């Protein structure tokens, strides 16, 4: 069975889905991510789905569930790079992906994560200066 | 009308991926825009998942309904249990744990047409279609081109490769299994063959046993028939001898001599046959004497000269002066050499036959050789001639008569004396037969001692009683015995014989061994047990060969054993004289 690689980058985990996953691969990715979040005490997860041209209800549900679980483990999730056609299709399907933050690309996604996690700290530090 | 362009079997997770990739590829090929490609792929993914999740297996078919407004038709079928609350799902009221409900309802929105039928008997069929955005539509002719393009584009994913490799592996495995079952088959075949071989062995064993039995039977037959033949032949011989003495015309005498010669030939054949049979039956004794080879040669020379009818053949005995005396059975050695020489005489038309002897280096063996300048024997026949009843085919051979027993007999006789025979021969040049025999034969036999017969009363004419069931034998014996001073009595069976013996008190009884009723053994027993007849010497006459044990048993009570074949006037006279005078 295929496994999707998870990269650690500072307090963040980076996942770039480059293949068309079957359902088991998707579920394995979800499990791996939770495990890595705990192991690395990750604060944020960035999932790049720019290579996916089909996100059906199962993958969509998986992404939403992953974000919810990570939230419980005190990590924020941002899904980045969703193709427009995929986004449209998801909406047409009736899948709103509520609870999943998204960003247009990795850069924006990282910014989003940083502001969410470090925002208050930076502000405080700024005040101390 | 829908023309199928592709189909995928749905059973595993990866089939789902394959199905949605195929859907996307087909959508691309047909010219759908990116959005529709995603829609179509997503719908296929949703419906195919339903099949894999709930029905375990099914299939998805892609087809094109050609026309001015052509349709991509996707049919997903399964044989599963059907969708129980289809109405609820389609109404959007069903909440699935894996998001499926949304999938189906959403799918309807993504396609131009979406029909779903489901029953617990026939499974679920989803038929959906989307208008192909192509100007002028699609003609049936175009579909083939599209199909070809699809095949060409089909990407080889790692999964497909794995599946391919898997297929190859499975094929290899199947091949291996085939090979193995082939080996097992071969093994089985070998086992069968093995069993067959064992069975054949058993059969061969049986055959060997029955051959041995047949061989024994043959020997017994030869022995028995030989004796059966010998009795009449002996009678003919004895009678012709008697006739010789009679006053006959020259012509009759000639005829009688011819009869006699024929009978003698027959007798010699019979004795060869009997000798062979006796040796095979282990009934021959070696009579060991010390003798000079030179004497043996001179005796042979005397015996064989008369056979040398052909003037162009010389029979030469080489000088053996200075040879140590041999201790062996002179009679048997003589028989071996006679056979060799008469053989040589038969097959030599001109030249010489040279008989010689040489001593081995250790002086333990004498090798006699008989070399001729005859027709020779082909190498392939050289062993065969020592087999019974073998005669080599050839013009000279055909002129010669013979039983084919001579050489086998020499081989057996030589073996009996602890020696061997062999032949060296070149066809057209001549043959040399060798017999290598030990100078000192093993201590296997003894000189026979003659038991002392009881002396008869003298002073009156000699009275001889002949007890024999065979009239010819009585007559012959009587004729040989008859002369002045001899009084003959005859009895044709054992009981009569005993009776006559008691009454007449003969000086000598000549008793036949083989008689119907009470046989010679018992007659002898009774005569010796009766005080009235106990002192009368008895000579046992037999045509049957008797072995050493039997001979000893007879000689315990009888004074002598005589073979019918040996009977002659001289012998009978000497026997009578011996018995009467002591």
């Amino acid at each position: 069975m295929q496994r999707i690689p998870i990269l650690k980058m500072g307090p963040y985990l980076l996942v770039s889905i480059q293949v068309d996953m079957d359902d088991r691969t998707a579920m394995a990715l979800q499990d791996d991510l939770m495990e890595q979040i705990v192991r690395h005490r990750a604060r944020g997860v960035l999932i790049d789905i720019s290579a996916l041209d089909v996100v059906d209800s199962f993958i969509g549900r998986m992404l939403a569930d992953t974000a919810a679980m990570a939230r419980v483990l005190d990590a924020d999730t941002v899904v980045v790079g969703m193709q427009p056609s995929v986004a449209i299709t998801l909406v047409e399907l009736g899948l709103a992906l509520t609870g999943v933050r998204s960003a247009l690309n990795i850069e924006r996604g990282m910014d989003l994560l940083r502001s969410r996690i470090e925002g208050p700290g930076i502000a405080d530090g700024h005040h101390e200066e | 009308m829908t023309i199928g362009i592709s189909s995928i079997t749905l059973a595993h997770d990866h089939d789902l991926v394959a199905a949605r990739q195929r859907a996307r590829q087909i959508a691309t090929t047909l010219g759908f825009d990116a959005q529709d490609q995603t829609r179509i792929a997503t719908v296929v993914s949703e419906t195919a998942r339903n099949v894999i999740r709930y029905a375990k297996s099914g299939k998805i078919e892609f087809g094109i309904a050609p026309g001015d407004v052509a349709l991509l038709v996707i049919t997903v079928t399964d044989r599963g249990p059907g969708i129980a609350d289809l109405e609820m799902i389609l109404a959007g009221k069903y909440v699935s744990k894996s998001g499926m409900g949304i999938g189906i309802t959403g799918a309807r929105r993504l396609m131009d047409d979406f029909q779903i039928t489901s029953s617990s008997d026939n499974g679920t069929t989803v038929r959906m279609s989307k208008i192909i955005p192509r100007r002028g539509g699609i003609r049936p002719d175009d579909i083939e081109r599209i199909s070809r393009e699809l095949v060409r584009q089909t990407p080889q994913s790692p999964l497909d490769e794995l599946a391919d490799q898997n297929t190859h592996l499975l094929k290899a495995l199947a091949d291996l299994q085939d090979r193995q079952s082939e080996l097992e088959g071969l093994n089985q075949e070998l086992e069968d063959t093995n069993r067959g071989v064992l069975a054949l062995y058993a059969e061969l064993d049986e055959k060997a046993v029955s051959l041995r039995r047949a061989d024994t039977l043959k020997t017994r037959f030869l022995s028995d028939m030989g004796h059966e033949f010998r009795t009449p032949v002996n009678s003919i011989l004895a009678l012709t001898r008697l006739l010789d003495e009679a006053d006959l015309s020259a012509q009759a005498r000639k005829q009688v001599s011819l009869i006699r010669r024929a009978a003698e030939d027959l007798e010699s054949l019979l004795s060869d046959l009997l000798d062979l049979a006796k040796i095979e039956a282990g009934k021959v004794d070696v009579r060991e004497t010390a003798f000079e080879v030179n004497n043996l040669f001179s005796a042979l020379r005397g015996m064989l000269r008369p056979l040398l009818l052909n003037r162009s053949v010389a029979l030469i005995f080489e000088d053996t002066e200075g040879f140590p005396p041999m201790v062996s059975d002179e009679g048997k050695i003589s028989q071996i050499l006679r056979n060799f020489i008469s053989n040589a005489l038969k097959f030599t038309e001109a030249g010489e036959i040279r008989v010689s002897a040489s001593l081995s280096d250790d002086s333990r063996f004498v090798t006699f050789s008989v070399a001729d300048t005859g027709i020779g024997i082909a190498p392939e026949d050289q062993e065969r001639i020592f087999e019974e009843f073998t005669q080599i085919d050839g013009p000279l051979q055909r002129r010669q008569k013979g039983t084919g027993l001579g050489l086998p007999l020499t081989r057996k006789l030589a073996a009996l004396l602890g020696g061997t025979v062999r032949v060296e021969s070149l066809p057209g040049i001549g043959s040399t037969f060798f017999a290598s025999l030990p100078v000192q034969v093993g201590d296997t036999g003894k000189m026979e001692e003659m038991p002392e017969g009881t002396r008869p009363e003298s002073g009156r004419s000699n009275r001889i009683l002949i007890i024999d069931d065979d009239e010819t034998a009585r007559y012959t014996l009587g004729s040989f015995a008859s002369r002045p001073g001899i009084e003959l009595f005859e009895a044709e069976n054992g009981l009569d014989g005993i009776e006559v013996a008691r009454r007449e008190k003969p000086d000598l009884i000549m008793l036949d061994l083989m008689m119907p009723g009470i046989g010679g053994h018992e007659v002898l027993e009774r005569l010796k047990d009766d005080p009235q007849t106990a002192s009368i010497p008895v000579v046992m006459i037999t045509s049957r060969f008797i072995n050493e044990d039997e001979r000893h048993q007879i000689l315990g009570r009888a004074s002598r054993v005589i073979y019918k074949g040996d009977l002659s006037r001289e012998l009978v006279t000497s026997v009578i004289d011996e018995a009467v005078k002591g």
Side-chain angles (χ1 to χ4, degrees), chain B residues 438-481:
Chain B
V439 172
Q440 167 86 51
V441 81
D443 192 25
T444 51
K446 277 188 202 152
M447 288 291 288
E448 215 171 90
E449 278 176 40
M450 201 69 78
E452 284 297 305
T454 38
R455 281 144 205 263
E457 299 162 48
S458 52
R460 57 187 173 113
S461 65
N462 295 317
R463 298 147 69 91
I464 315 287
L465 169 58
I466 299 170
I467 307 173
D468 197 324
D469 58 306
D470 181 9
E471 196 189 348
T472 322
R474 286 204 305 277
Y475 175 71
T476 318
L477 203 52
S479 307
F480 285 144

Short mmCIF file of all heavy atoms in Angstrom, two decimals, chain B residues 438-481:
data_model
loop_
_atom_site.label_atom_id
_atom_site.label_comp_id
_atom_site.label_asym_id
_atom_site.label_seq_id
_atom_site.Cartn_x
_atom_site.Cartn_y
_atom_site.Cartn_z
N PRO B 438 43.90 -81.97 -14.89
CA PRO B 438 44.91 -82.12 -13.83
C PRO B 438 45.60 -83.47 -13.91
O PRO B 438 44.97 -84.48 -14.24
CB PRO B 438 44.09 -82.00 -12.54
CG PRO B 438 42.68 -82.16 -12.92
CD PRO B 438 42.53 -81.90 -14.37
N VAL B 439 46.91 -83.45 -13.63
CA VAL B 439 47.67 -84.69 -13.65
C VAL B 439 47.15 -85.64 -12.59
O VAL B 439 47.02 -86.85 -12.80
CB VAL B 439 49.17 -84.39 -13.41
CG1 VAL B 439 49.97 -85.67 -13.22
CG2 VAL B 439 49.74 -83.59 -14.57
N GLN B 440 46.83 -85.05 -11.45
CA GLN B 440 46.34 -85.87 -10.32
C GLN B 440 44.89 -85.43 -10.06
O GLN B 440 44.66 -84.31 -9.59
CB GLN B 440 47.21 -85.61 -9.10
CG GLN B 440 46.67 -86.13 -7.79
CD GLN B 440 47.03 -87.59 -7.57
OE1 GLN B 440 48.19 -87.96 -7.68
NE2 GLN B 440 46.04 -88.41 -7.28
N VAL B 441 43.96 -86.28 -10.40
CA VAL B 441 42.58 -85.88 -10.18
C VAL B 441 42.25 -85.99 -8.69
O VAL B 441 42.90 -86.76 -7.97
CB VAL B 441 41.63 -86.76 -11.04
CG1 VAL B 441 41.38 -88.09 -10.37
CG2 VAL B 441 40.34 -86.02 -11.31
N GLY B 442 41.32 -85.17 -8.23
CA GLY B 442 40.94 -85.21 -6.82
C GLY B 442 40.48 -86.59 -6.41
O GLY B 442 40.03 -87.38 -7.23
N ASP B 443 40.60 -86.90 -5.15
CA ASP B 443 40.30 -88.25 -4.69
C ASP B 443 38.79 -88.44 -4.64
O ASP B 443 38.17 -88.37 -3.59
CB ASP B 443 40.90 -88.47 -3.30
CG ASP B 443 40.87 -89.93 -2.92
OD1 ASP B 443 40.83 -90.79 -3.83
OD2 ASP B 443 40.86 -90.23 -1.71
N THR B 444 38.20 -88.60 -5.82
CA THR B 444 36.75 -88.64 -5.86
C THR B 444 36.20 -90.04 -6.05
O THR B 444 35.01 -90.25 -5.91
CB THR B 444 36.24 -87.77 -7.02
OG1 THR B 444 36.93 -88.17 -8.19
CG2 THR B 444 36.49 -86.30 -6.76
N GLY B 445 37.01 -90.93 -6.44
CA GLY B 445 36.47 -92.28 -6.67
C GLY B 445 37.45 -93.34 -6.23
O GLY B 445 38.59 -93.06 -5.88
N LYS B 446 37.01 -94.53 -6.20
CA LYS B 446 37.90 -95.62 -5.77
C LYS B 446 37.83 -96.76 -6.76
O LYS B 446 36.85 -96.91 -7.47
CB LYS B 446 37.42 -96.16 -4.41
CG LYS B 446 37.92 -95.37 -3.24
CD LYS B 446 37.55 -96.14 -1.99
CE LYS B 446 37.52 -95.22 -0.80
NZ LYS B 446 36.59 -95.69 0.21
N MET B 447 38.85 -97.48 -6.78
CA MET B 447 38.81 -98.70 -7.57
C MET B 447 37.80 -99.62 -6.92
O MET B 447 37.71 -99.72 -5.70
CB MET B 447 40.19 -99.37 -7.57
CG MET B 447 41.19 -98.62 -8.40
SD MET B 447 40.79 -98.73 -10.14
CE MET B 447 41.22 -100.44 -10.47
N GLU B 448 37.10 -100.28 -7.76
CA GLU B 448 36.06 -101.15 -7.24
C GLU B 448 36.65 -102.51 -6.88
O GLU B 448 37.44 -103.07 -7.62
CB GLU B 448 35.02 -101.35 -8.33
CG GLU B 448 33.64 -101.44 -7.79
CD GLU B 448 32.69 -101.40 -8.96
OE1 GLU B 448 32.39 -102.49 -9.46
OE2 GLU B 448 32.31 -100.30 -9.37
N GLU B 449 36.25 -102.95 -5.77
CA GLU B 449 36.76 -104.28 -5.42
C GLU B 449 35.66 -105.31 -5.64
O GLU B 449 34.51 -105.06 -5.36
CB GLU B 449 37.19 -104.32 -3.96
CG GLU B 449 38.59 -103.76 -3.79
CD GLU B 449 38.97 -103.72 -2.33
OE1 GLU B 449 38.63 -104.67 -1.62
OE2 GLU B 449 39.57 -102.70 -1.93
N MET B 450 36.10 -106.38 -6.12
CA MET B 450 35.13 -107.43 -6.41
C MET B 450 34.87 -108.25 -5.15
O MET B 450 35.80 -108.79 -4.57
CB MET B 450 35.73 -108.35 -7.50
CG MET B 450 34.72 -109.14 -8.24
SD MET B 450 33.71 -108.11 -9.29
CE MET B 450 34.85 -107.87 -10.64
N PRO B 451 33.64 -108.30 -4.69
CA PRO B 451 33.41 -109.12 -3.50
C PRO B 451 33.55 -110.60 -3.84
O PRO B 451 33.25 -111.02 -4.96
CB PRO B 451 31.98 -108.79 -3.10
CG PRO B 451 31.35 -108.18 -4.29
CD PRO B 451 32.41 -107.79 -5.27
N GLU B 452 33.99 -111.30 -2.89
CA GLU B 452 34.18 -112.74 -3.11
C GLU B 452 32.83 -113.43 -3.16
O GLU B 452 32.02 -113.32 -2.25
CB GLU B 452 35.01 -113.34 -1.96
CG GLU B 452 36.48 -113.01 -2.05
CD GLU B 452 37.11 -113.59 -3.31
OE1 GLU B 452 37.00 -114.80 -3.54
OE2 GLU B 452 37.69 -112.79 -4.10
N GLY B 453 32.56 -114.07 -4.23
CA GLY B 453 31.30 -114.83 -4.32
C GLY B 453 31.48 -116.15 -3.59
O GLY B 453 32.59 -116.66 -3.45
N THR B 454 30.40 -116.66 -3.10
CA THR B 454 30.52 -117.97 -2.44
C THR B 454 30.73 -119.05 -3.48
O THR B 454 30.17 -118.97 -4.57
CB THR B 454 29.26 -118.29 -1.62
OG1 THR B 454 28.14 -117.81 -2.35
CG2 THR B 454 29.30 -117.62 -0.27
N ARG B 455 31.50 -119.96 -3.11
CA ARG B 455 31.84 -120.97 -4.10
C ARG B 455 30.72 -121.99 -4.26
O ARG B 455 30.15 -122.45 -3.28
CB ARG B 455 33.12 -121.72 -3.65
CG ARG B 455 34.34 -120.92 -3.94
CD ARG B 455 35.38 -121.12 -2.82
NE ARG B 455 36.26 -119.95 -2.76
CZ ARG B 455 37.45 -119.94 -3.37
NH1 ARG B 455 37.90 -121.00 -4.01
NH2 ARG B 455 38.20 -118.86 -3.29
N PRO B 456 30.42 -122.31 -5.46
CA PRO B 456 29.39 -123.32 -5.68
C PRO B 456 29.96 -124.75 -5.49
O PRO B 456 31.17 -124.94 -5.50
CB PRO B 456 29.00 -123.08 -7.13
CG PRO B 456 30.22 -122.50 -7.77
CD PRO B 456 31.02 -121.84 -6.70
N GLU B 457 29.05 -125.67 -5.30
CA GLU B 457 29.51 -127.07 -5.20
C GLU B 457 30.01 -127.48 -6.57
O GLU B 457 29.46 -127.09 -7.59
CB GLU B 457 28.34 -127.98 -4.80
CG GLU B 457 27.75 -127.61 -3.45
CD GLU B 457 26.36 -128.22 -3.30
OE1 GLU B 457 26.25 -129.42 -3.60
OE2 GLU B 457 25.43 -127.48 -2.90
N SER B 458 30.99 -128.25 -6.54
CA SER B 458 31.50 -128.70 -7.84
C SER B 458 31.18 -130.19 -8.04
O SER B 458 30.58 -130.83 -7.18
CB SER B 458 32.99 -128.44 -7.92
OG SER B 458 33.63 -128.99 -6.79
N GLY B 459 31.57 -130.69 -9.12
CA GLY B 459 31.42 -132.11 -9.36
C GLY B 459 30.18 -132.46 -10.12
O GLY B 459 29.85 -133.62 -10.29
N ARG B 460 29.48 -131.52 -10.57
CA ARG B 460 28.36 -131.80 -11.45
C ARG B 460 28.26 -130.69 -12.49
O ARG B 460 28.94 -129.68 -12.39
CB ARG B 460 27.05 -131.93 -10.67
CG ARG B 460 26.75 -130.70 -9.84
CD ARG B 460 25.53 -130.95 -8.97
NE ARG B 460 25.33 -129.82 -8.07
CZ ARG B 460 24.29 -129.03 -8.15
NH1 ARG B 460 23.38 -129.20 -9.06
NH2 ARG B 460 24.16 -128.05 -7.30
N SER B 461 27.39 -130.84 -13.44
CA SER B 461 27.29 -129.82 -14.48
C SER B 461 26.82 -128.51 -13.86
O SER B 461 26.11 -128.52 -12.86
CB SER B 461 26.34 -130.26 -15.58
OG SER B 461 25.04 -130.36 -15.05
N ASN B 462 27.25 -127.42 -14.45
CA ASN B 462 26.90 -126.12 -13.88
C ASN B 462 25.48 -125.74 -14.25
O ASN B 462 25.10 -125.75 -15.42
CB ASN B 462 27.86 -125.05 -14.39
CG ASN B 462 29.28 -125.33 -13.90
OD1 ASN B 462 29.48 -125.66 -12.73
ND2 ASN B 462 30.22 -125.23 -14.80
N ARG B 463 24.72 -125.45 -13.24
CA ARG B 463 23.31 -125.13 -13.45
C ARG B 463 23.12 -123.61 -13.29
O ARG B 463 23.46 -123.05 -12.27
CB ARG B 463 22.45 -125.88 -12.42
CG ARG B 463 22.57 -127.38 -12.56
CD ARG B 463 22.47 -128.05 -11.21
NE ARG B 463 21.12 -127.94 -10.67
CZ ARG B 463 20.18 -128.87 -10.89
NH1 ARG B 463 20.43 -129.92 -11.63
NH2 ARG B 463 18.98 -128.71 -10.38
N ILE B 464 22.61 -123.01 -14.32
CA ILE B 464 22.43 -121.55 -14.32
C ILE B 464 20.95 -121.23 -14.36
O ILE B 464 20.22 -121.75 -15.20
CB ILE B 464 23.09 -120.89 -15.55
CG1 ILE B 464 24.49 -121.43 -15.81
CG2 ILE B 464 23.08 -119.35 -15.42
CD1 ILE B 464 25.53 -120.97 -14.84
N LEU B 465 20.54 -120.35 -13.46
CA LEU B 465 19.14 -119.89 -13.47
C LEU B 465 19.12 -118.43 -13.97
O LEU B 465 19.82 -117.57 -13.47
CB LEU B 465 18.54 -119.96 -12.07
CG LEU B 465 17.19 -119.26 -11.86
CD1 LEU B 465 16.12 -119.82 -12.80
CD2 LEU B 465 16.75 -119.37 -10.41
N ILE B 466 18.29 -118.21 -15.01
CA ILE B 466 18.13 -116.83 -15.51
C ILE B 466 16.76 -116.33 -15.11
O ILE B 466 15.74 -116.95 -15.47
CB ILE B 466 18.27 -116.78 -17.04
CG1 ILE B 466 19.69 -117.27 -17.44
CG2 ILE B 466 18.04 -115.38 -17.57
CD1 ILE B 466 19.85 -117.48 -18.92
N ILE B 467 16.72 -115.27 -14.34
CA ILE B 467 15.43 -114.69 -13.97
C ILE B 467 15.31 -113.34 -14.67
O ILE B 467 16.02 -112.39 -14.35
CB ILE B 467 15.32 -114.50 -12.44
CG1 ILE B 467 15.64 -115.80 -11.71
CG2 ILE B 467 13.92 -113.98 -12.07
CD1 ILE B 467 15.72 -115.64 -10.20
N ASP B 468 14.42 -113.26 -15.65
CA ASP B 468 14.24 -112.00 -16.40
C ASP B 468 12.86 -112.03 -17.02
O ASP B 468 12.43 -113.07 -17.54
CB ASP B 468 15.32 -111.86 -17.49
CG ASP B 468 15.42 -110.41 -17.99
OD1 ASP B 468 14.37 -109.74 -18.09
OD2 ASP B 468 16.55 -109.98 -18.28
N ASP B 469 12.16 -110.92 -16.98
CA ASP B 469 10.82 -110.88 -17.52
C ASP B 469 10.83 -110.75 -19.04
O ASP B 469 9.85 -111.02 -19.70
CB ASP B 469 10.03 -109.70 -16.92
CG ASP B 469 10.74 -108.39 -17.19
OD1 ASP B 469 11.93 -108.27 -16.85
OD2 ASP B 469 10.11 -107.46 -17.77
N ASP B 470 11.96 -110.30 -19.59
CA ASP B 470 12.04 -110.06 -21.02
C ASP B 470 12.52 -111.32 -21.73
O ASP B 470 13.63 -111.80 -21.49
CB ASP B 470 13.02 -108.89 -21.27
CG ASP B 470 13.13 -108.56 -22.74
OD1 ASP B 470 12.34 -109.10 -23.53
OD2 ASP B 470 14.03 -107.77 -23.10
N GLU B 471 11.68 -111.81 -22.61
CA GLU B 471 11.98 -113.09 -23.25
C GLU B 471 13.26 -112.99 -24.07
O GLU B 471 14.11 -113.88 -24.03
CB GLU B 471 10.81 -113.50 -24.13
CG GLU B 471 10.89 -114.97 -24.51
CD GLU B 471 9.85 -115.34 -25.56
OE1 GLU B 471 8.93 -114.54 -25.80
OE2 GLU B 471 9.98 -116.44 -26.13
N THR B 472 13.39 -111.89 -24.81
CA THR B 472 14.58 -111.72 -25.65
C THR B 472 15.84 -111.76 -24.80
O THR B 472 16.84 -112.38 -25.15
CB THR B 472 14.53 -110.35 -26.36
OG1 THR B 472 13.18 -110.10 -26.75
CG2 THR B 472 15.44 -110.33 -27.55
N ALA B 473 15.76 -111.06 -23.65
CA ALA B 473 16.91 -111.02 -22.76
C ALA B 473 17.26 -112.42 -22.26
O ALA B 473 18.43 -112.80 -22.24
CB ALA B 473 16.62 -110.08 -21.58
N ARG B 474 16.21 -113.16 -21.88
CA ARG B 474 16.46 -114.55 -21.40
C ARG B 474 17.12 -115.37 -22.50
O ARG B 474 18.09 -116.09 -22.26
CB ARG B 474 15.13 -115.21 -21.00
CG ARG B 474 14.56 -114.71 -19.70
CD ARG B 474 13.64 -115.73 -19.06
NE ARG B 474 12.57 -116.19 -19.94
CZ ARG B 474 11.42 -115.54 -20.13
NH1 ARG B 474 11.19 -114.41 -19.48
NH2 ARG B 474 10.51 -116.02 -20.95
N TYR B 475 16.57 -115.17 -23.70
CA TYR B 475 17.08 -115.96 -24.81
C TYR B 475 18.53 -115.60 -25.10
O TYR B 475 19.38 -116.48 -25.24
CB TYR B 475 16.22 -115.70 -26.06
CG TYR B 475 16.74 -116.37 -27.29
CD1 TYR B 475 16.66 -117.77 -27.44
CD2 TYR B 475 17.35 -115.64 -28.31
CE1 TYR B 475 17.17 -118.39 -28.56
CE2 TYR B 475 17.85 -116.24 -29.43
CZ TYR B 475 17.77 -117.63 -29.57
OH TYR B 475 18.28 -118.22 -30.69
N THR B 476 18.82 -114.32 -25.16
CA THR B 476 20.17 -113.86 -25.44
C THR B 476 21.16 -114.36 -24.40
O THR B 476 22.21 -114.93 -24.71
CB THR B 476 20.23 -112.32 -25.44
OG1 THR B 476 19.08 -111.82 -26.11
CG2 THR B 476 21.48 -111.81 -26.10
N LEU B 477 20.78 -114.11 -23.15
CA LEU B 477 21.64 -114.51 -22.04
C LEU B 477 21.87 -116.02 -22.07
O LEU B 477 23.00 -116.51 -21.91
CB LEU B 477 20.96 -114.08 -20.74
CG LEU B 477 21.83 -113.88 -19.52
CD1 LEU B 477 23.00 -112.95 -19.84
CD2 LEU B 477 20.99 -113.30 -18.38
N GLY B 478 20.75 -116.72 -22.32
CA GLY B 478 20.83 -118.19 -22.39
C GLY B 478 21.78 -118.62 -23.50
O GLY B 478 22.59 -119.51 -23.33
N SER B 479 21.66 -117.93 -24.62
CA SER B 479 22.52 -118.30 -25.75
C SER B 479 23.99 -118.08 -25.44
O SER B 479 24.83 -118.90 -25.73
CB SER B 479 22.15 -117.45 -26.98
OG SER B 479 20.79 -117.56 -27.24
N PHE B 480 24.27 -116.88 -24.82
CA PHE B 480 25.67 -116.60 -24.45
C PHE B 480 26.17 -117.63 -23.44
O PHE B 480 27.33 -118.02 -23.48
CB PHE B 480 25.78 -115.19 -23.82
CG PHE B 480 25.69 -114.09 -24.82
CD1 PHE B 480 25.06 -112.89 -24.51
CD2 PHE B 480 26.27 -114.24 -26.08
CE1 PHE B 480 24.98 -111.86 -25.44
CE2 PHE B 480 26.19 -113.21 -27.00
CZ PHE B 480 25.54 -112.03 -26.69
N ALA B 481 25.26 -118.03 -22.54
CA ALA B 481 25.71 -118.91 -21.46
C ALA B 481 25.83 -120.37 -21.93
O ALA B 481 26.61 -121.15 -21.39
CB ALA B 481 24.73 -118.81 -20.29
#
